Amino acid sequence: MSLSAMQAHVARDEVKTSLVVDILTQKFGERCSRSKAMCEQHGHTTTWLPNQAPDAVVFVESTEEAADVVRVCAEHKVPVIPFGTGSSLEGHVNAPGGGISLDLSNMNKILQVNAEDLDCRVEAGVTRKQLNSYLRDTGLFFPIDPGADASIGGMAATRASGTNAVRYGTMKDAVLGLTIVTPTGEIIHTGGRARKSAAGYDLTRMYVGSEGTLGVITELTIRLYGQPEAISGGVCPFPDIESACNAVIATIQCGVPVARIELLDTMQVKACNIYSKLDLEEKPTLFLEFHGSDAGVREQAEMFGSIAEDFGGGEFKWATQAEERTKLWTARHDAYWASFTLKPGSKGVATDVCVPISRLAECVTDSMTDLEEAGLLATIVGHVGDGNFHVLILVDEADEAEVAKAEGFVERLNWRAIELEGTCTGEHGVGQGKMKYLQREHGGGLDVMRSLKMALDPDNIMNPGKIVKVS
Amino acid sequence: MSLSAMQAHVARDEVKTSLVVDILTQKFGERCSRSKAMCEQHGHTTTWLPNQAPDAVVFVESTEEAADVVRVCAEHKVPVIPFGTGSSLEGHVNAPGGGISLDLSNMNKILQVNAEDLDCRVEAGVTRKQLNSYLRDTGLFFPIDPGADASIGGMAATRASGTNAVRYGTMKDAVLGLTIVTPTGEIIHTGGRARKSAAGYDLTRMYVGSEGTLGVITELTIRLYGQPEAISGGVCPFPDIESACNAVIATIQCGVPVARIELLDTMQVKACNIYSKLDLEEKPTLFLEFHGSDAGVREQAEMFGSIAEDFGGGEFKWATQAEERTKLWTARHDAYWASFTLKPGSKGVATDVCVPISRLAECVTDSMTDLEEAGLLATIVGHVGDGNFHVLILVDEADEAEVAKAEGFVERLNWRAIELEGTCTGEHGVGQGKMKYLQREHGGGLDVMRSLKMALDPDNIMNPGKIVKVS
C-alpha cells in the first residue's frame, strides 16, 4: 500500500539495538519484553499506516526508570518511542528505526489533587476516565475529551482536544507544568502550579504537542474545573451544512458559552441511527451541551434555540434527563464505530482539518462534493465551534483503486484546509501521516522546528521519523 | 546603585556598531536617529533599572524593513532590541551591549478584522486602546489589559495579562499566529487562523514571552470577544487579607465566571481614596466586574455576594451605572500613581510574584509582615483570581539604606513565591531584573532555555542580556 511512502526512513543499527535490549533486559527483567506480539502491538495504533514494531517494550514505573531507559538508549544512539495507550491516529508510536518502546501505562498514579487551586498532578499513564472517576466525589472534573480513553501524557504529547474544546480549550490550555525526561536522560520540570507565568520561554507549551520527539512526558500538573451545577443538551437538525455552520457562528458571536457543539452530516446521522438505535431526522444535525447554573443553562438553550430558528434549524429536541443525554453523547462518541455499519468490513481513513469557522461550511461542502466525485463513501463529524472536522472515509483495503482514491481525497482535503488559512491537523497531531503537509502549512517555520529538534535531540533518538525530518 | 549588578554584561564592538549605524542611516535617512535624547528614551522604560542606551533608533514601517535592519545587524553581529511603547518594567528595552533599538511604533495598522471568526490581524505597534477604539462599533473587543496602553507586539513579547486574565486568559491564550523576523532576518509565520492546531511544535507559544530574544514580532493574529451584553461590578471590603482570598477561592471553585477580581490592601485603598477621591472603607477590598447577559451578571453578583458574606465580607457596594464603574476601574488602573501620594517624591519598585491561589493569603500576609519588619512603605494590588500580586515599594532613591532594604525585600519575596510553587513573575516578564531567580525557579529547564536561545540566535544579537545569559 502506498501509504507506507509517508513513513520517513530512519536508519537502524542492529548491533547497538541488540546491545541496548540486552542491557535493558538485565535492568528490567520481565518488564523488558521482546515478544513479537508485544512489539507489534506497540508498533501500531488505531492508525491507517503500516505497522513498524520496536525491538523491545520496557514498562517503566517511575520518572527515574524512564530516565534510566533514555540514558541507555542515548549512550548507544538507539531510538526511544514513548507509548501511552496507543490510541493515536497518525502512526505516532510506530518505530520506523526500531528501538525501544517506552510504555508508561504503569505510571498511573494520581499524585495530588489541589481542590482549592483547581489543579492536580498525575503520572503520564493515568487515563482521562481514570482521573474523572477518581475526581467524581470532589466536585471537580477534567474536561478534555478526545473520545478514546487516552493517557493524559499521550494527550499532552499530541495536543489533544475533542468535543468540549470550544469551552474548555485543548491540552495546550490544560497543562500547567510537566516533568520531562530529556533526550540525554536528565529530569527537568517545566511550568509550575501558578495560574500564569512570564518567567522565560514557555517550555511547557513547547513539549505539549511535541509527540515525544523532544523528550518523554512522565508527570503533568493539569487544570481542573468545578463540575457544572446543571447540564442540559439536545439535538437540532438543519436543512443543510451551511445553515448549521451559520447557526454555530452566531451562537459563538453572541457569547453563548456552549460546552459542546458538534456537527454530524446526514451520512453520520444515518449510521448513528442504525448503530445506536436512535431515530434522528436524517439531516445535518448539531449535538449540543450547555454547562452552568440551572438558570444559566436554560438561558443558553433558549438563546441557541432562537438562533437556530433564524437559520432554519429545528425542532430543537431537548435531552433534559441524564440518561437521554448519555444516550446521545454515547452515540456521538461511537460515531466512528457506527460509520462501519454503512460499509461492513471496510477500513476507516480518518482526517482532521481545522479552518477558521467562517470558512467551515465552504470546506465541508467542497469536501462533500469531492467525495461524491471521487465515488467515496464517508461520514463527517465536526467540533464545529472550533472549525475542526473529521471525514472518515470507508475503504475496502483490498481495492487498490479505492485506496488510491482515498489517498487523493485526503491530500486534496489537507491542501484545501491550508488554502483556507487552516491546518491539516486540529487535534490528532502530525505523526508520520501529516509530515508532508507541514512545508506548505508552515513554510520557513518548519526550519525553525527543525532547528529546535536538532538543538534538543542532536542524535535524533526521540521518536525519530515524526513531525520533522532531520538528516 | 547596586541594582545595576543585575544587568548582564554584553560585549560591544564600537567599530562594527558604528558601521551598522552608518549603513542604517543611509538606508533609513531620518528614520534612523542617533540623537542622545532619542537613544536614552529608548534605553529605558518605567523600570527601576539604570538606563542603557542603544547607539541608534530605527523607526521601521513594515515587516520587510524590520527584516532589513535585522539582516544588517546580523551580518555585523550587532545587537537588535525591539521596542514597542517602552512600558515594560524589567529593563526589557535596555541596551547593555549597545546596538540598534528597532522601534515598531509606526507599524500601527489594523490589517484585518474577521468578525465571524472573532479574530483580527494587526501590526505589532498597534496599541490595545487603539485596537479597542477601532473595534467599538463592531460589537467586539480585545480583552487583555495590562494597565498601560502597551503595543500588542510588546504585550505578546512579554506574555502580558492584567486585570481580566482570570476570565479571558493572557497573551499566551490571545495569540493565534505571529509574523516573526528571525535573528538572520528571515520572515516566518507561525500558527494561523484556525482556533486550534496540532501541526508540530507550538512556535507561536515559543515566541510569546520570549521578550525579543529569539526574533522580532512584527504582526499578530489575535482572538477577539463579543462585547458582553451586560457588565456590572462593585467593591467589597473584608476584615483581613485571608478572608478576601478565601472568598476569591470559593468564587472561582463555584464556577462564577468573574471577569475581574482584584485585591487592594488597606494602604492601597487609602492611596486610592486620596488620589481618586473615593470614600472606600479602609480595609482589604475586592474590586469585581461581571460580564454576561442581564440575568447572568445579576446571578453572578448574587452568588458572589452570598460567598462574600460567608467570609465576613461586606457590604458589597454595587456600581450599576457605567460612570460609577468607570470611576472605580480608573481608580484601580491609577493605583500605581496613587501610591506615590503616600510618599511624595519616592520611586516605586514593582514586584510581580504569582502563586497557587491556595497559598496567596499566606504569601501576601508574610510579605506584609516582612515589609513591616524591614520598615518599608508599600502598597499591594493583586490579580487575585490568578494568584498574582504586585507589591509597590515606595523608596527614597537618595537613601542608600532604604534602597538596600527594598532590594532585600524583593529578593525574599521572589524566593518566597518560588518556595510556594509559584513564580517570580506572573506577567511582567524576566528582562534583566528577574534573571537571577530563574535558576532556582526552573532548575535544569533553564539549560533547555539556553539551548533554545543558542540554537535560534547563535550570535546572541537578539535583545542580548535578557532572560538567559549565554556565554
Side-chain angles (χ1 to χ4, degrees), chain B residues 260-458:
Chain B
R260 287 171 159 154
I261 188 159
E262 297 278 306
L263 175 69
L264 281 68
D265 81 334
T266 306
M267 286 307 284
Q268 185 66 68
V269 172
K270 234 185 258 283
C272 289
N273 274 344
I274 302 169
Y275 186 85
S276 301
K277 301 182 180 51
L278 303 178
D279 56 354
L280 301 174
E281 221 179 314
E282 292 185 354
K283 281 185 177 177
T285 298
L286 292 179
F287 277 46
L288 293 114
E289 194 167 276
F290 306 107
H291 293 178
S293 64
D294 280 322
V297 300
R298 212 164 33 241
E299 188 184 48
Q300 290 176 50
E302 276 161 17
M303 281 175 78
F304 172 77
S306 105
I307 290 165
E309 218 181 289
D310 289 347
F311 291 96
E315 148 201 28
F316 181 31
K317 271 176 70 178
W318 278 87
T320 40
Q321 300 304 311
E323 305 100 82
E324 262 180 285
R325 230 175 35 239
T326 306
K327 190 173 173 197
L328 278 177
W329 285 104
T330 306
R332 167 61 193 87
H333 274 132
D334 289 341
Y336 179 86
W337 306 111
S339 300
F340 298 104
T341 59
L342 300 177
K343 188 169 174 174
S346 62
K347 178 129 189 169
V349 179
T351 69
D352 178 39
V353 299
C354 185
V355 296
I357 192 174
S358 66
R359 317 304 294 271
L360 183 65
E362 178 184 352
C363 196
V364 175
T365 51
D366 285 0
S367 303
M368 288 170 83
T369 309
D370 190 350
L371 284 168
E372 206 178 304
E373 285 172 4
L376 290 165
L377 184 63
T379 55
I380 299 178
V381 294
H383 309 313
V384 71
D386 302 315
N388 182 207
F389 68 96
H390 308 300
V391 181
L392 185 71
I393 316 162
L394 302 167
V395 176
D396 173 359
E397 266 191 295
D399 181 343
E400 279 186 31
E402 192 169 80
V403 170
K405 273 187 208 165
E407 286 175 26
F409 171 81
V410 171
E411 279 208 12
R412 289 189 300 277
L413 172 61
N414 288 331
W415 299 141
R416 185 179 301 128
I418 294 168
E419 277 306 300
L420 294 171
E421 300 182 83
T423 173
C424 64
T425 174
E427 55 183 16
H428 293 172
V430 178
Q432 299 182 313
K434 299 279 168 58
M435 285 173 74
K436 70 170 179 174
Y437 304 102
L438 296 194
Q439 183 62 51
R440 197 183 302 179
E441 185 166 335
H442 297 305
L446 194 59
D447 298 327
V448 178
M449 292 189 196
R450 197 172 286 114
S451 304
L452 269 188
K453 167 73 174 172
M454 288 169 72
L456 300 182
D457 180 23

Side-chain angles (χ1 to χ4, degrees), chain B residues 121-186:
Chain B
R121 201 155 60 83
V122 299
E123 289 185 333
V126 169
T127 71
R128 63 176 189 88
K129 286 187 183 169
Q130 178 196 349
L131 178 60
N132 277 326
S133 336
Y134 184 91
L135 292 173
R136 192 158 297 143
D137 299 333
T138 63
L140 303 174
F141 80 116
F142 174 65
I144 318 272
D145 170 5
D149 188 21
S151 68
I152 313 263
M155 287 169 64
T158 53
R159 207 181 292 123
S161 49
T163 53
N164 49 25
V166 63
R167 165 103 175 225
Y168 297 98
T170 74
M171 286 304 284
K172 158 176 88 62
D173 311 296
V175 180
L176 288 170
L178 294 169
T179 299
I180 297 284
V181 173
T182 71
T184 53
E186 312 274 309

Side-chain angles (χ1 to χ4, degrees), chain A residues 207-268:
Chain A
Y207 289 112
V208 170
S210 67
E211 304 183 7
T213 64
L214 302 179
V216 188
I217 296 171
T218 59
E219 283 180 25
L220 309 92
T221 303
I222 51 177
R223 294 179 67 156
L224 303 175
Y225 289 80
Q227 288 166 13
E229 182 190 325
I231 299 179
S232 80
V235 294
C236 186
F238 283 82
D240 49 53
I241 293 281
E242 203 155 11
S243 321
C245 289
N246 286 334
V248 174
I249 291 173
T251 304
I252 287 169
Q253 269 187 331
C254 290
V256 180
V258 60
R260 287 170 159 155
I261 188 159
E262 298 278 306
L263 175 69
L264 281 69
D265 81 334
T266 306
M267 286 307 284
Q268 184 66 68

Side-chain angles (χ1 to χ4, degrees), chain A residues 269-289:
Chain A
V269 173
K270 232 186 259 279
C272 289
N273 274 345
I274 300 169
Y275 186 86
S276 301
K277 301 184 181 53
L278 304 177
D279 56 354
L280 301 174
E281 223 180 314
E282 293 186 352
K283 281 185 178 177
T285 298
L286 293 179
F287 277 47
L288 293 114
E289 194 167 278

Side-chain angles (χ1 to χ4, degrees), chain A residues 454-469:
Chain A
M454 287 168 73
L456 300 182
D457 181 22
D459 292 326
N460 192 23
I461 66 158
M462 290 307 313
N463 207 3
K466 319 291 162 66
I467 301 188
V468 277
K469 221 166 147 177

Side-chain angles (χ1 to χ4, degrees), chain A residues 97-311:
Chain A
I100 306 301
S101 176
L102 185 70
D103 188 308
L104 296 137
S105 58
N106 291 342
M107 286 187 65
N108 58 3
K109 284 193 282 299
I110 294 163
L111 301 168
Q112 203 179 23
V113 175
N114 305 296
E116 289 194 323
D117 297 312
L118 298 175
D119 70 39
C120 70
R121 202 155 60 83
V122 298
E123 289 185 331
V126 169
T127 71
R128 65 176 188 89
K129 286 188 183 169
Q130 180 196 346
L131 177 59
N132 277 326
S133 333
Y134 184 91
L135 292 173
R136 191 158 299 141
D137 299 334
T138 63
L140 304 174
F141 81 115
F142 174 66
I144 319 272
D145 170 6
D149 187 22
S151 67
I152 312 262
M155 286 168 64
T158 53
R159 207 180 293 123
S161 50
T163 53
N164 49 26
V166 63
R167 164 103 176 225
Y168 297 99
T170 74
M171 287 304 283
K172 158 176 88 62
D173 311 295
V175 180
L176 289 169
L178 294 170
T179 299
I180 297 284
V181 173
T182 71
T184 54
E186 312 275 309
I187 297 168
I188 65 159
H189 304 280
T190 75
R193 286 188 54 235
R195 267 297 131 131
K196 64 184 191 186
S197 168
Y201 307 144
D202 190 348
L203 297 185
T204 304
R205 247 52 56 185
M206 183 183 76
Y207 289 112
V208 170
S210 67
E211 304 183 7
T213 64
L214 302 179
V216 188
I217 296 171
T218 59
E219 283 180 25
L220 309 92
T221 303
I222 51 177
R223 294 179 67 156
L224 303 175
Y225 289 80
Q227 288 166 13
E229 182 190 325
I231 299 179
S232 80
V235 294
C236 186
F238 283 82
D240 49 53
I241 293 281
E242 203 155 11
S243 321
C245 289
N246 286 334
V248 174
I249 291 173
T251 304
I252 287 169
Q253 269 187 331
C254 290
V256 180
V258 60
R260 287 170 159 155
I261 188 159
E262 298 278 306
L263 175 69
L264 281 69
D265 81 334
T266 306
M267 286 307 284
Q268 184 66 68
V269 173
K270 232 186 259 279
C272 289
N273 274 345
I274 300 169
Y275 186 86
S276 301
K277 301 184 181 53
L278 304 177
D279 56 354
L280 301 174
E281 223 180 314
E282 293 186 352
K283 281 185 178 177
T285 298
L286 293 179
F287 277 47
L288 293 114
E289 194 167 278
F290 307 107
H291 293 178
S293 64
D294 280 321
V297 300
R298 214 166 30 242
E299 188 184 48
Q300 290 176 50
E302 277 161 17
M303 281 176 78
F304 172 77
S306 104
I307 290 166
E309 220 182 288
D310 289 346
F311 292 95

